[in-house]
Amino acid sequence: MQSQKGYELIKAEIFKRLGVSMDAYKDSYLQRRIRARMRKLGITDYMEYYRLLKTNKDEFEELLFTIAINVTEFFRDPIVWKTFQNKILPELIDFKKKRGSRSIKIWSAACSTGQEPYSIAMTLYEVLGQNLSGFRVSILATDIDKEALQAAMRGEYPVDAVEKQVPKHMIPKYFDRISEERYRIKPFVKRLVTFRWLNLLSSPYPKGFDVIFIRNVLIYMNREAQEEIFKKLYDSLEDHGYLILGKTETILGNAAKLFKLYDLVARVYKKNLEVKGHG
């Protein structure tokens, strides 16, 4: 683990590939992830691992997946989902009806293997009923990890995960049991969700969302990278829109002016419309 130079070279390769600045991720986080891969391969020196990465494309892919990995589950942090179901959605639906608007657009950013966007879809069905009350609902789910996105599109999950995480009454409604070991999300739930590759640090952001979920990804990034992301999220949200963060995340620095706290426990924010020309 001696060679700091080896670490810096690995880091430079990672950022070149991800198309972001060298210090977007915290060093402590990157080093943990890199060392996890090295341990697996029985390598103790950064420089040796760097040489391997230069010649082994598959290992480099593995490392990128390790860095991008998000631990995810259905209905993670139940208080968030209660707030979404009982407060945010009824308010949003009321707002849309008054405006005569029939579209609901939600973005699940850093969706990993799909549990979050499918949880959003199931909650919408719970609130609006099977025909979604005449609304045009679209959920965009994005991630940087192509393998995770492929798993998300398949929509198949281990039995124990589904039975532990999804409220019992919802399982037969929204899942088909396809084997001893697995459940699959039903097609009518799947059709609400569109999966797409997106790099939060360098891709252009889509716009026009009523709700954006960006949970448990910003904690791995440094403050400048976070501020940059919050500025873009501000532009991606409609004026009435809601921003939902992970339970240990807060908005710091200049970005804090862009949003107003809506619900502290569920970590929900709204756009601060008094901010003009935030850059």
Side-chain angles (χ1 to χ4, degrees):
M1 216 61 76
Q2 319 80 308
S3 162
Q4 184 59 20
K5 182 168 189 288
Y7 168 67
E8 292 298 334
L9 287 166
I10 294 168
K11 185 170 149 179
E13 286 296 318
I14 291 166
F15 288 117
K16 196 162 83 190
R17 173 66 181 275
L18 294 179
V20 297
S21 74
M22 283 285 283
D23 55 358
Y25 284 96
K26 294 172 183 165
D27 276 319
S28 56
Y29 171 69
L30 278 181
Q31 284 165 354
R32 264 202 320 279
R33 297 300 196 185
I34 292 166
R35 285 201 294 262
R37 285 302 309 160
M38 287 165 65
R39 266 199 309 279
K40 218 165 193 164
L41 300 164
I43 295 172
T44 55
D45 180 62
Y46 279 130
M47 205 68 202
E48 188 189 336
Y49 186 53
Y50 171 69
R51 285 193 289 270
L52 173 70
L53 290 176
K54 290 302 277 180
T55 55
N56 187 325
K57 198 168 143 294
D58 290 345
E59 178 52 33
F60 195 40
E61 288 295 323
E62 281 299 325
L63 176 61
L64 288 176
F65 292 145
T66 307
I67 287 162
I69 208 70
N70 246 325
V71 181
T72 185
E73 55 189 54
F74 291 104
F75 301 104
R76 185 176 181 177
D77 305 324
I79 188 72
V80 173
W81 296 96
K82 281 197 180 74
T83 305
F84 180 57
Q85 182 167 341
N86 300 332
K87 255 176 97 174
I88 294 171
L89 281 179
E91 243 173 55
L92 180 60
I93 290 158
D94 194 44
F95 173 84
K96 293 283 182 175
K97 283 182 172 159
K98 283 182 180 139
R99 291 281 171 103
S101 165
R102 281 289 169 197
S103 86
I104 293 175
K105 271 182 78 178
I106 297 174
W107 180 13
S108 166
C111 68
S112 189
T113 44
Q115 287 91 324
E116 180 176 273
Y118 290 135
S119 297
I120 295 168
M122 290 185 266
T123 306
L124 280 157
Y125 274 114
E126 288 293 291
V127 172
L128 286 166
Q130 278 306 94
N131 62 357
L132 294 177
S133 303
F135 278 94
R136 284 191 315 282
V137 172
S138 63
I139 300 162
L140 175 67
T142 65
D143 203 88
I144 196 172
D145 182 340
K146 293 191 172 99
E147 275 195 2
L149 284 171
Q150 280 172 338
M153 285 178 209
R154 281 195 299 276
E156 293 177 12
Y157 300 96
V159 162
D160 58 340
V162 172
E163 290 179 352
K164 266 200 201 93
Q165 297 161 12
V166 179
K168 272 204 178 17
H169 71 281
M170 290 169 80
I171 297 174
K173 273 202 241 181
Y174 303 118
F175 291 85
D176 290 316
R177 181 81 177 250
I178 54 168
S179 71
E180 280 288 292
E181 289 89 39
R182 295 179 94 63
Y183 280 104
R184 185 189 291 140
I185 296 277
K186 291 194 182 216
F188 73 88
V189 181
K190 264 187 171 172
R191 80 180 162 75
L192 295 187
V193 186
T194 305
F195 291 98
R196 206 161 88 203
W197 183 89
L198 184 135
N199 182 340
L200 284 168
L201 293 163
S202 62
S203 301
Y205 281 26
K207 299 238 184 355
F209 294 99
D210 300 301
V211 186
I212 298 176
F213 284 75
I214 180 162
R215 307 186 64 227
N216 311 302
V217 63
L218 296 162
I219 38 177
Y220 304 124
M221 295 175 187
N222 71 22
R223 195 147 159 175
E224 289 74 21
Q226 288 186 22
E227 285 205 18
E228 202 44 51
I229 286 172
F230 281 125
K231 276 189 212 157
K232 292 180 185 168
L233 291 170
Y234 183 92
D235 291 334
S236 290
L237 265 185
E238 291 291 320
D239 283 352
H240 59 268
Y242 303 81
L243 180 69
I244 303 178
L245 304 183
K247 71 171 178 190
T248 60
E249 295 172 319
T250 43
I251 306 176
L252 302 166
N254 288 329
K257 299 188 194 92
L258 299 177
F259 298 93
K260 290 177 168 168
L261 188 62
Y262 171 82
D263 186 305
L264 177 63
V265 182
R267 283 290 191 272
V268 183
Y269 293 81
K270 293 199 76 166
K271 265 174 104 150
N272 179 4
L273 299 178
E274 287 142 38
V275 179
K276 291 282 177 277
H278 62 277

